[in-house]
Amino acid sequence: MPDVGVATEPKAYTHALSGGRPGATVRVRPLLTGEINAPPAFFRRPDGPLAIPRGLLAPRRLWSPVPIPAFLVDHPGAGPLLIDTGLHASVASAPAASLGTLAARMYDIRMEASQSVPAQLEGLGVEPRSVRAVVMTHLHYDHASGVSAFPEATFVVARAEWDAAASGRMLQGYRPRQFDHAFDWRAIDYASTSLDSFAGFGRSVDLLGDGSIRLVFTPGHSAGHQSVVLRLHDRELLLTGDAAYRRTAIEEGELPLFCADEHLYRRSLSEIRAYVERTPNAVVICGHDPQGWAELDAVYS
Ligand SMILES: [Zn+2]
């Protein structure tokens, strides 16, 4: 099978998924699926031309581990859901199978098989096949590697992300065979005029129709990136995904090494900043934040 082009075609996302309950709140459990060793420029790209090769040339002693997360969401009516899938269990022993030989050689990934999402779910007493839905913030290899483990789930992704990823290559962060499975894929058309705004975000989708899980369009890091706002019992929780790798991205507007569209990235970041300002008691979890990860609670409810 060639690396580029996929056989799967998502259905259009046209209506909320089932299981919504008026006033429902969720429990969110961060899952660390592995770590990738990254240079300092991963978070803040160097100024000037050829930022990526120059960023990657930093001496290895300056590189440090960056968390690769996924999130388990418990909803009272929609059952267990996931935000992203993290790394597939095979990455622990044979990374080339999921990531390809080039990436397996290029990236220094640290993972134990017990860190895969299915293994962690089993440890928590959650049957992996009971996961009803998976929201993909985007389809980069460190988020989509574990897709194949959830054949029964409905996957929700932005149409713009699917289109970019389906023809994408590893140099853009995509490995199409990770997600080219004939599962129940639903693609959100964020260009549709019928979408609502929500709390500073210009375009949002109410996943279950009860306000408990809102997807908000935050493109730029990748073509169709989406973040997630979850309703806890007394506050909200924002999962920025890779629209902000770490808290200082929000505070200082730092531009990461990998960014598909700088203009869209900055616009999405300003929407996140507006959300944080108007929702000061919200928990904010960024996509790849080493310091933030160390300070997280095991569960948010
Ligand atoms: Zn990414």
Side-chain angles (χ1 to χ4, degrees):
M1 190 165 63
D3 245 5
V4 172
V6 298
T8 304
E9 176 57 27
K11 284 180 256 180
Y13 175 96
T14 53
H15 54 275
L17 304 187
S18 64
R21 299 264 172 89
T25 62
V26 299
R27 289 178 358 130
V28 180
R29 190 181 281 273
L31 306 172
L32 180 64
T33 75
E35 289 168 300
I36 185 166
N37 218 19
F42 176 77
F43 293 104
R44 190 187 287 259
R45 70 161 65 172
D47 293 331
L50 299 173
I52 291 179
R54 285 194 296 122
L56 293 174
L57 279 173
R60 286 275 170 162
R61 67 187 153 77
L62 298 178
W63 294 38
S64 58
V66 171
I68 301 178
F71 299 87
L72 171 62
V73 178
D74 263 326
H75 181 282
L81 295 89
L82 292 173
I83 315 293
D84 290 335
T85 66
L87 297 171
H88 189 270
S90 65
V91 173
S93 52
S98 178
L99 307 177
T101 25
L102 175 68
R105 216 175 290 151
M106 199 158 70
Y107 299 114
D108 173 16
I109 289 177
R110 305 165 186 197
M111 181 198 190
E112 305 286 334
S114 61
Q115 289 183 288
S116 75
V117 172
Q120 294 198 56
L121 293 185
E122 276 162 14
L124 293 165
V126 177
E127 167 60 39
R129 289 199 168 242
S130 71
V131 170
R132 305 256 303 271
V134 182
V135 172
M136 298 301 299
T137 60
H138 62 308
L139 294 171
H140 280 166
Y141 68 91
D142 51 329
H143 299 255
S145 171
V147 163
S148 64
F150 301 97
E152 326 263 324
T154 293
F155 283 79
V156 181
V157 66
R159 166 57 70 179
E161 182 66 18
W162 180 276
D163 290 347
S167 60
R169 295 171 180 273
M170 202 41 159
L171 285 174
Q172 289 107 42
Y174 297 116
R175 172 88 168 151
R177 70 179 68 184
Q178 288 179 339
F179 52 85
D180 188 14
H181 299 288
F183 299 167
D184 180 21
W185 284 94
R186 312 277 176 97
I188 298 172
D189 176 11
Y190 277 105
S192 161
T193 49
S194 63
L195 294 183
D196 296 327
S197 61
F198 174 72
F201 293 103
R203 292 185 180 268
S204 79
V205 164
D206 184 354
L207 185 69
L208 303 171
D210 63 5
S212 63
I213 304 174
R214 290 180 194 274
L215 315 185
V216 294
F217 194 43
T218 50
H221 167 71
S222 65
H225 189 281
Q226 54 186 351
S227 305
V228 187
V229 182
L230 301 129
R231 186 165 65 208
L232 308 178
H233 82 278
D234 61 349
R235 56 191 168 158
E236 291 179 354
L237 188 157
L238 169 65
L239 297 177
T240 67
D242 290 4
Y245 278 169
R246 60 180 180 179
R247 192 72 194 213
T248 44
I250 302 172
E251 288 157 3
E252 298 169 20
E254 61 191 5
L255 198 63
L257 196 56
F258 300 102
C259 182
D261 185 312
E262 192 175 323
H263 170 73
L264 288 178
Y265 176 85
R266 291 193 191 284
R267 197 176 71 183
S268 295
L269 208 51
S270 70
E271 293 194 352
I272 288 172
R273 201 174 294 122
Y275 171 83
V276 170
E277 278 163 14
R278 68 193 277 173
T279 324
N281 69 338
V283 180
V284 178
I285 302 179
C286 296
H288 292 291
D289 190 343
Q291 195 185 334
W293 190 268
E295 294 163 1
L296 291 186
D297 294 347
V299 187
Y300 293 88
S301 61

